[in-house]
Amino acid sequence: MRDMPELPEVETTVRGLAPFLEGQRLTAVTTFRPDLRRPFPVDLAQRLTGATVTGLSRRAKYGIVSTDRDDHMIFHLGMSGRWRTEGGEAGKHDHLLLETGAGHRLFLHDPRRFGSVDLVAGDPLASFAAFVTLGPEPLSDDFNAAHLARTFAARRAPIKAMLLDQTVVAGLGNIYVCEALNMARISPLTAAADVPKAKLKALVPAIKTVLAAAIAAGGSTLRDFLSPEGDLGYFAKDWRVYGREGERCECGGTVARVVQGGRSTFHCPECQR
DNA sequence: CCGTGGTCCTGGGAGC
DNA sequence: TGCTCCCAGGACCACG
C-alpha cells in the first residue's frame, strides 16, 4: 500500500524542496500539458521565470513556493503527485519543470493528474480562495478539544466525514483520519455530536501524534521520498488499521473495512466504540 | 445550512 | 498472455 500525499507528505516534500529552491533564481519554467486536474495558470511561466524563490511553506495539503515578486505558486499533489529532483528529461508523467540558477531541474510528476498548480499575487492566506475557509492546522495550538466540541455541536454526520472536512481541520486525509480514530478508540461511524468530550480530548493528541510520527519518518527518509525510484518503503507499512482489513488490531480485535461516503474506512469494531 | 453522492483521472491489481 | 473491470483519492459541485 503506497502512501497518499496528506499533510505529512506535503510537509516532507516542502522541506525536501527547500534546499533546491530557496534563494534560487528560476531560470526557466515549463509546462508539458495545459492542465492537471484544472488548467495551469496561463501566465505561470511568464511570472515565475526570472523570479527568485524567497521561501517555501505549507498550508493544509498545499505546498507554497513564494517569490520576490510576491507571487506564490500553490501546488497540490492530489493522490499521486510528487516532485522529482534528480533532473534528466521530462517523462510521460512529468507535467511541470522548474529550472534553477544552480542548475537543478525539478519535475512535478503526477500520473493520475489529481493535483493542481495555482499562482496568486499577495498573501495567499487571504487571496487563495481554497485557503480562506480552511480550519486550523492540526499541529497548531488552535486545534484543540474545545475547537472540536464547538464545531461538532449538533452535527449528525459521522465523525469520520467531519474530520475529512477541511473547514473543520486542515490537512487530514483518509489514512490519518482512520489512524487517529483508532488510536483514540473512537468509532468512525458515530455522529460527531455524539462523541463524548473525553473522547474528543483523546482525539486531539492522537491526531497530532500520528501526523508528527509520519513527518518524522518522512524526514528521516527524505532522500528516498524525493528520489525517482523512491518507493519510499516509508512508514507506509506501519499503519495501525489502514489497508489492514482482517488483520489484528493492537487490542486483539479484527480490523474491519466499511464504506462511508464512497470511501473505505478501516477501523476496529472491538476497541473503537 | 446540512448531509450525501457524483465527478474528475489513470495506474495497477484481480479475474477470466 | 491479454483483455476488461473496478478501485484508489481530495476538492468541488449539485441536489433534496
Side-chain angles (χ1 to χ4, degrees), chain A residues 14 17-25 52-57 66 100:
Chain A
V14 162
L17 283 175
F20 292 94
L21 286 175
E22 252 166 17
Q24 287 295 311
R25 185 168 175 274
T52 295
V53 175
T54 52
L56 279 84
S57 52
S66 300
T100 73

Side-chain angles (χ1 to χ4, degrees), chain A residues 152 155-164 173-195 199 203 241 254-261 263-273:
Chain A
F152 288 171
R155 300 300 295 272
R156 302 313 304 167
I159 189 168
K160 160 86 186 303
M162 293 294 291
L163 291 173
L164 287 173
N174 204 34
I175 295 175
Y176 294 105
V177 166
C178 290
E179 295 295 292
L181 286 173
N182 176 258
M183 184 177 276
R185 303 193 156 204
I186 297 169
S187 168
L189 308 170
T190 305
D194 293 345
V195 177
K199 291 276 192 179
L203 178 58
V241 288
T254 304
V255 176
R257 186 183 82 95
V258 296
V259 175
Q260 293 180 279
R263 300 284 182 259
S264 288
T265 298
F266 296 91
H267 69 120
C268 172
E270 199 66 37
C271 64
Q272 292 177 252
R273 298 173 173 279

Side-chain angles (χ1 to χ4, degrees), chain A residues 4 30 37 41 44 46 50 52 62-63 75 86 88 108 117 119 135 138 141 145 151 162 175 200 203 227 235 237:
Chain A
M4 310 291 172
T30 313
R37 202 173 163 272
L44 181 74
Q46 182 253 313
T52 295
Y62 295 87
F75 65 85
E86 80 285 2
L108 178 58
V117 173
L119 188 65
D141 291 342
T151 309
M162 293 294 291
I175 295 175
L200 294 184
L203 178 58
S227 86
F235 57 91
K237 292 166 191 71

Side-chain angles (χ1 to χ4, degrees), chain A residues 18-36:
Chain A
F20 292 94
L21 286 175
E22 252 166 17
Q24 287 295 311
R25 185 168 175 274
L26 299 174
T27 53
V29 175
T30 313
T31 52
F32 299 100
R33 52 171 298 121
D35 56 10
L36 293 179

